[in-house]
Amino acid sequence: MEKLHKKNIIIGTLWALFGQFGYMLVGLTANIILARILTPYEFGQIGIVMFFIIISKVFTESGLSGAIIRKKDATATDYSTVLIFNLILSLFLIVVLFFAAGPISDFYKDNELKNILRVSSVVLLIYAFQITHITKLVQQMEFKKKAIYEFIAILISAITAITFAYKGFGVWAIVLMQILTASILSLILWMFEEWPTVFVFSTGSFKKLYNFGINTTFSLLLNTVFDNVYQLILGKYFAISQTGLYYQAKKIQEVPVNALGSLAHSVIFSSLAKVQDDKKQFNLLYNKISSTLSAIMGLVSLFVIFYSKNLIIILFGEQWLGSVFFLQILIVAGFFHVHEIFNHVIFKTFDQTQKILYLEIVKKIILSISIIIGVILLDISILLYGYLFTSILSYFLNSFYSSKVTHESFYVDSIKILKIIVSASITISLLLFINSSFNFKDYYSFLLIPVMLTIYFVLLRIMNVFNLINDTKIVYQTIFTKK
């Protein structure tokens, strides 16, 4: 049984990674093409609108899907309750955004924002029709189906959006892509997955699920608000085009962060929840997974920092060079945020979600101070460095309190992260020295990628953090070989 469970974990992990990689690859490709057709100002408009859509989406989800995933005996009534709640709340929020669109448009002195927000809000109702199906696929570890469905949806919508952009529809091409992606995915789910066997709202079921979800909801709400509030601040106090530059940098940062975050909240959470009663087995699985993913995120951060300018030019063109500074800060902050997500999985698994909320409140208080100072001084660098500092501090706070739950050493995990940071820093320093010594210009610097990989993984091995060859063998033997 244990061997079968481990095999399911690795298969689920691979499909989840494939799904996330495929989905984000298509989305990023579409974004790259659209960035060469549209302007930073138009992406800035979308960045502002998406703040309100993303916040509303947090409310509609309300942490109920996580509650169902954790619940070992989830019933049809539970799923029906979540569906009805999502439908009612999404309709309410659409009405709220419809009337709020006018004042928001006036605040930014951009009349077009009103219609963009009103039309984009329709996606909330579409999301409501898919959340229970997605939750059931995750709960049952059907990640292959989920990956295929999501890939089909994003591929069709991306092609359509690019076509409309070339036809001169401007910012509406991006709006169309978002609505079409959600619509196609919902349609596929209702066509190929089971329909609800009952359609009732159970007060008892809602209370049980909500008790779990309320803490994660407020925590996620705080995190989402502050994670996206920079788009509003840049658009109001600096320029909407600055919001566009930040938005594109954030899109690149979100590729690895969302991939690993989604993996943590789906495969890892679902898998660890099944062994929550065995602390030894839980810690063994968690440590192995977190070490591997930490090494991967460290490498991604290293690559993006070193090649940030080249990446922006290749992907978006020289008109987006203002995104380089945003990208470098955001990717480092993303490294720590990913580890914060890993710690949240521990809290969710052992039903201590109130800790997530308390820690998020502390994090946002600190972040608010840096935001206020940055706005008063009208200094973008203070805004960004404040965000980075808060991400670092938040990781250490989350790691400390999660170690209390698992009874693992806080210092061991912290030292592991510090070793990865040191390895990446040494690697960058050596690459800069080699690059300046041999004068690798422009795209010739990509010839240093093999050197980067070698130095980084050798340093990780020397520091006893991650051994690429041996750890791969251990994972294989653990899953496919009987002990």
Side-chain angles (χ1 to χ4, degrees):
M1 181 63 70
E2 182 180 341
K3 178 183 175 183
L4 180 60
H5 177 56
K6 289 178 180 177
K7 186 173 181 179
N8 287 336
I9 291 176
I10 196 68
I11 292 174
T13 301
L14 291 174
W15 271 108
L17 284 173
F18 170 77
Q20 282 295 312
F21 178 76
Y23 187 92
M24 290 184 179
L25 179 62
V26 174
L28 182 61
T29 302
N31 189 54
I32 291 168
I33 297 173
L34 290 172
R36 291 183 174 275
I37 303 172
L38 307 179
T39 65
Y41 187 90
E42 288 170 312
F43 273 95
Q45 290 177 309
I46 287 296
I48 293 171
V49 167
M50 286 308 298
F51 172 85
F52 300 99
I53 299 301
I54 293 172
I55 297 302
S56 299
K57 189 179 177 183
V58 172
F59 278 112
T60 58
E61 204 276 330
S62 296
L64 300 182
S65 61
I68 289 182
I69 292 172
R70 185 183 181 278
K71 191 175 181 181
K72 295 181 179 179
D73 55 347
T75 64
T77 301
D78 293 328
Y79 283 102
S80 176
T81 299
V82 172
L83 174 61
I84 294 173
F85 173 78
N86 287 331
L87 289 173
I88 294 173
L89 188 56
S90 62
L91 287 171
F92 171 75
L93 290 172
I94 287 174
V95 173
V96 171
L97 290 177
F98 181 88
F99 288 104
I104 291 171
S105 178
D106 293 338
F107 182 75
Y108 285 97
K109 299 178 182 179
D110 186 336
N111 292 328
E112 197 174 10
L113 283 177
K114 178 171 63 176
N115 292 328
I116 296 173
L117 180 55
R118 286 176 175 175
V119 174
S120 297
S121 67
V122 176
V123 79
L124 296 174
L125 181 61
I126 303 172
Y127 281 137
F129 280 102
Q130 64 181 239
I131 189 169
T132 52
H133 285 96
I134 292 293
T135 301
K136 186 174 290 187
L137 290 175
V138 173
Q139 207 262 351
Q140 297 174 352
M141 299 189 74
E142 293 281 358
F143 297 106
K144 180 178 180 180
K145 287 184 177 181
K146 181 174 179 290
I148 294 173
Y149 296 161
E150 291 177 339
F151 183 79
I152 293 172
I154 189 69
L155 181 62
I156 295 174
S157 62
I159 294 173
T160 305
I162 292 170
T163 302
F164 272 71
Y166 271 117
K167 293 293 183 179
F169 283 82
V171 69
W172 292 102
I174 308 177
V175 176
L176 175 64
M177 181 175 175
Q178 294 166 350
I179 295 176
L180 201 55
T181 301
S183 300
I184 295 172
L185 180 57
S186 295
L187 181 63
I188 292 173
L189 288 168
W190 281 82
M191 286 177 60
F192 296 101
E193 295 302 315
E194 291 183 9
W195 285 37
T197 55
V198 295
F199 193 73
V200 296
F201 184 88
S202 170
T203 304
S205 173
F206 179 77
K207 286 181 178 179
K208 290 180 181 178
L209 296 172
Y210 191 72
N211 285 337
F212 173 89
I214 183 65
N215 292 311
T216 56
T217 298
F218 279 112
S219 171
L220 183 59
L221 180 63
L222 280 171
N223 193 54
T224 304
V225 167
F226 280 86
D227 195 35
N228 293 276
V229 74
Y230 292 91
Q231 295 159 206
L232 301 185
I233 294 172
L234 291 171
K236 177 60 179 176
Y237 296 101
F238 297 93
I240 291 182
S241 59
Q242 284 293 322
T243 298
L245 295 172
Y246 173 85
Y247 184 77
Q248 287 292 33
K250 199 167 187 302
K251 279 291 183 183
I252 298 178
Q253 180 237 28
E254 286 175 348
V255 173
V257 172
N258 285 354
L260 295 178
S262 177
L263 186 63
H265 286 305
S266 54
V267 179
I268 296 174
F269 177 38
S270 180
S271 302
L272 292 176
K274 297 182 188 307
V275 295
Q276 59 185 287
D277 297 327
D278 186 344
K279 274 287 183 70
K280 184 178 180 180
Q281 179 67 10
F282 176 90
N283 289 333
L284 181 65
L285 282 173
Y286 177 80
N287 290 331
K288 178 59 66 176
I289 292 170
S290 64
S291 294
T292 302
L293 296 184
S294 295
I296 293 173
M297 188 61 197
L299 176 61
V300 171
S301 301
L302 163 64
F303 180 85
V304 172
I305 291 172
F306 187 74
Y307 290 111
S308 56
K309 183 177 179 179
N310 289 329
L311 285 174
I312 293 297
I313 294 176
I314 292 173
L315 296 178
F316 306 130
E318 293 190 0
Q319 66 169 330
W320 294 93
L321 277 174
S323 297
V324 171
F325 171 68
F326 292 125
L327 178 58
Q328 291 175 333
I329 298 297
L330 288 174
I331 197 64
V332 178
F335 173 80
F336 290 97
H337 182 63
V338 164
H339 292 88
E340 185 180 329
I341 292 174
F342 295 162
N343 291 318
H344 286 183
V345 170
I346 293 176
F347 295 134
K348 289 170 66 177
T349 302
F350 293 102
D351 197 13
Q352 297 194 27
T353 54
Q354 72 280 1
K355 285 186 172 64
I356 300 177
L357 177 59
Y358 298 153
L359 289 168
E360 283 298 323
I361 292 174
V362 173
K363 177 181 179 180
K364 301 324 176 194
I365 291 174
I366 299 171
L367 190 58
S368 297
I369 296 173
S370 68
I371 291 175
I372 292 171
I373 295 173
V375 170
I376 291 175
L377 298 178
L378 291 178
D379 193 325
I380 293 179
S381 62
I382 291 179
L383 287 173
L384 270 293
Y385 284 122
Y387 178 72
L388 174 58
F389 171 77
T390 306
S391 297
I392 296 172
L393 181 60
S394 181
Y395 155 70
F396 283 109
L397 287 173
N398 276 269
S399 180
F400 176 78
Y401 284 102
S402 66
S403 67
K404 300 294 184 183
V405 177
T406 60
H407 304 296
E408 290 281 285
S409 173
F410 160 70
Y411 298 103
V412 171
D413 187 65
S414 299
I415 290 173
K416 176 186 69 178
I417 299 303
L418 289 174
K419 286 180 177 179
I420 293 175
I421 295 171
V422 170
S423 299
S425 300
I426 293 174
T427 303
I428 287 181
S429 299
L430 291 174
L431 289 173
L432 290 173
F433 174 75
I434 295 172
N435 191 51
S436 61
S437 298
F438 294 94
N439 197 24
F440 287 100
K441 292 183 178 180
D442 300 325
Y443 304 128
Y444 288 104
S445 62
F446 285 107
L447 295 173
L448 294 174
I449 291 178
V451 179
M452 173 189 292
L453 294 173
T454 303
I455 296 174
Y456 179 70
F457 283 114
V458 167
L459 287 172
L460 289 182
R461 182 175 180 178
I462 292 173
M463 295 187 183
N464 199 29
V465 175
F466 180 73
N467 188 319
L468 185 62
I469 298 176
N470 289 348
D471 284 357
T472 303
K473 288 181 179 179
I474 291 172
V475 170
Y476 179 85
Q477 292 170 356
T478 302
I479 297 168
F480 298 105
T481 306
K482 281 189 177 182
K483 293 184 178 180

